[in-house]
Amino acid sequence: MFDNINKLNRNQKFLLLAMIPFYFLIIAFFYDSPEQILLGLYNIIKEPDLLITDYMVVGGIGAAFVNASLLTLVSLFIVYMLDMDVDGHTVTACCLMFGFSLFGKNIINIWYILLGVWLYAIYHKAPLSKFIYIGLYGTSLSPIITQILQITTLSPVVKFLLSLFVGVLIGFILPPLSSHLYATHRGFSLYNVGFSAGIISTVIASIFKSFGIESQSRLIWSTGNNDTLFVALAVLFLTMILVGCSKDRRGIIGYLKILISSGVNAPDYLRRVGIRSTFINMGINGLVATLIVVMVGGDLNGPTIGGIFTIVGFSSTGKHLLNILPIMVGVYLASLVKVWDISDPAPLITCLMATTLAPIAGRFGFLAGVLAGFIHSSVALNIVSIYDGMNLYNNGFAGGIVASFLVPIINSFKDRKDRVEKVI
């Protein structure tokens, strides 16, 4: 069954991918009772979602997992109903939806943005399937919707209409903006929609401030759950690795092919080397990321599991062990000389999310990756203040800036070296 993605029928592919949210949906009820989960979901919906808001504190671990699982299953259902097939980008989108639904996206605040993307498709007489992944990624701006609904000086009707207008506008402008900005970093930052979302959130936050509407980033962060959450994650990732390695060596051979990929332009590993090799890559990256969080003294919670699943998701479209570790080493080295510790909440998330720059390490080598991670840590930890935590893909925005800044410089030195070698 797992030899090649093309040997599974469409229903089997979606069912296989749905096993991830189903796994956590079951686990949720080991943490909390149904009554506690329902109350937790209500708290998640009504609370502001600005960075960093850990739903495991706001609603409890059970409610956080249920919220994330439901949103992931809904996302899969939308893709399925659009008559699309599963590829690497489906895996990435669903893993990101799961991860960020642990600290920012909920079953209420994502819909206006998706509506805007749908209206954009109608306006251009194009199928929604062409833009749905941009829409799913674009829900990183969902905290803006919740924030508008929290404005106490406006009537409920005005808040509803304003949140609807802003959400639809965000969804409508995301596709053209993402397409345009891709040329800026040329595929060296994997979180392209995050780059676009950062610009949109900066503009919106600036407009809000002009009308006296200000918000502040927050820090709601759960601790003390490493033992049980580590087991839950380790079981999932080890299962992925075992499934990928089962039967014969083809899964491992395909994984070795992934390791020589640069990751530039988000290559679809699911199509290139098959599901078994991709599962090995996802499992290894997820397990290593989890171990890193624990080893540096960090906490496993909603935000860090979100970061881990960002790595896992992009392990089907660009990330592998050899191109993410240099970036993480760069962030870690930065923590030794800068004014923060790697186990602090924001730096720890940055260490995980900075792997958006994995293609730089994949194309230019280990030292270039370390440099990229070192620079990225400073940009990511300071840029969030521009839009007051309204963009969940903060590292996507920072990564786009760093890649746009660093890649031309690296290329200029590389071109000079190539010219000298040709002369010699």
Side-chain angles (χ1 to χ4, degrees):
M1 177 179 179
F2 299 108
D3 287 342
N4 193 296
I5 189 66
N6 296 320
K7 292 186 178 181
L8 298 177
N9 64 45
R10 183 168 173 268
N11 290 341
Q12 288 174 323
K13 295 172 191 175
F14 277 96
L15 182 60
L16 184 62
L17 190 51
M19 286 182 182
I20 295 175
F22 274 127
Y23 171 75
F24 285 101
L25 195 60
I26 293 170
I27 286 177
F29 291 92
F30 285 93
Y31 282 98
D32 295 309
S33 68
E35 294 77 15
Q36 290 172 318
I37 288 174
L38 285 174
L39 179 60
L41 287 173
Y42 172 74
N43 291 332
I44 285 172
I45 291 169
K46 73 174 185 176
E47 275 286 316
D49 307 299
L50 302 176
L51 283 176
I52 303 171
T53 303
D54 186 351
Y55 283 167
M56 290 186 177
V57 175
V58 174
I61 295 176
F65 278 150
V66 168
N67 180 68
S69 298
L70 290 177
L71 260 68
T72 307
L73 290 170
V74 167
S75 302
L76 278 171
F77 180 74
I78 292 172
V79 175
Y80 181 84
M81 293 305 294
L82 291 173
D83 202 28
M84 300 170 65
D85 204 351
V86 172
D87 60 15
H89 301 285
T90 315
V91 177
T92 300
C94 288
C95 284
L96 260 66
M97 186 60 77
F98 179 85
F100 283 90
S101 296
L102 294 171
F103 70 112
K105 302 180 184 182
N106 62 57
I107 54 177
I108 297 297
N109 65 9
I110 67 170
W111 299 108
Y112 298 163
I113 294 173
L114 291 175
L115 175 60
V117 174
W118 179 58
L119 292 175
Y120 179 84
I122 292 176
Y123 178 77
H124 286 278
K125 299 180 180 179
L128 179 58
S129 58
K130 185 176 180 181
F131 308 108
I132 188 59
Y133 293 137
I134 292 176
L136 293 175
Y137 295 142
T139 54
S140 65
L141 295 172
S142 295
I144 294 175
I145 308 303
T146 307
Q147 190 65 18
I148 294 173
L149 295 173
Q150 299 282 332
I151 300 174
T152 57
T153 56
L154 300 178
S155 69
V157 173
V158 173
K159 286 191 288 187
F160 167 74
L161 293 175
L162 181 60
S163 63
L164 176 62
F165 171 76
V166 172
V168 169
L169 180 63
I170 289 171
F172 199 87
I173 64 178
L174 260 174
L177 192 61
S178 297
S179 177
H180 177 76
L181 289 175
Y182 190 83
T184 306
H185 57 78
R186 295 191 295 174
F188 281 92
S189 175
L190 294 173
Y191 310 162
N192 182 54
V193 175
F195 188 25
S196 309
I199 291 177
I200 293 173
S201 58
T202 299
V203 172
I204 291 176
S206 299
I207 293 173
F208 281 5
K209 291 176 182 178
S210 299
F211 286 93
I213 303 171
E214 294 200 36
S215 57
Q216 301 245 340
S217 57
R218 19 174 22 202
L219 180 57
I220 299 177
W221 185 266
S222 65
T223 61
N225 299 304
N226 279 20
D227 291 343
T228 57
L229 290 175
F230 179 83
V231 171
L233 293 171
V235 168
L236 176 65
F237 298 142
L238 286 172
T239 300
M240 287 181 170
I241 296 170
L242 290 174
V243 168
C245 293
S246 63
K247 196 173 181 180
D248 56 40
R249 297 180 180 176
R250 278 183 284 182
I252 298 174
I253 293 171
Y255 174 64
L256 295 177
K257 292 179 180 178
I258 289 176
L259 290 178
I260 61 175
S261 161
S262 69
V264 179
N265 296 318
D268 186 342
Y269 295 146
L270 209 62
R271 295 292 180 191
R272 287 190 178 187
V273 296
I275 197 167
R276 291 173 57 199
S277 303
T278 304
F279 266 26
I280 293 173
N281 194 41
M282 293 170 67
I284 289 176
N285 289 352
L287 190 60
V288 169
T290 304
L291 286 170
I292 286 173
V293 171
V294 174
M295 288 170 62
V296 300
D299 298 299
L300 289 173
N301 53 27
T304 55
I305 293 176
I308 291 167
F309 266 85
T310 300
I311 291 176
V312 172
F314 276 97
S315 296
S316 64
T317 52
K319 295 184 182 181
H320 55 73
L321 209 56
L322 296 185
N323 67 7
I324 65 173
L325 285 180
I327 307 296
M328 300 173 87
V329 168
V331 177
Y332 176 75
L333 291 177
S335 73
L336 301 179
V337 296
K338 296 182 182 179
V339 294
W340 39 263
D341 188 85
I342 192 65
S343 62
D344 294 339
L348 185 58
I349 295 175
T350 298
C351 185
L352 298 167
M353 300 289 194
T355 51
T356 180
L357 297 172
I360 292 180
R363 175 63 62 84
F364 301 116
F366 184 86
L367 291 179
V370 172
L371 177 62
F374 191 94
I375 295 173
H376 178 94
S377 64
S378 295
V379 177
L381 292 173
N382 286 284
I383 208 167
V384 67
S385 60
I386 296 176
Y387 40 76
D388 298 331
M390 290 186 182
N391 175 27
L392 295 175
Y393 297 170
N394 176 59
N395 283 272
F397 188 29
I401 293 173
V402 173
S404 301
F405 164 78
L406 195 56
V407 170
I409 296 174
I410 295 175
N411 273 327
S412 70
F413 284 99
K414 186 174 180 297
D415 290 344
R416 176 183 173 86
K417 181 181 177 182
D418 290 343
R419 288 195 300 270
V420 170
E421 289 177 349
K422 286 180 180 179
V423 171
I424 294 174

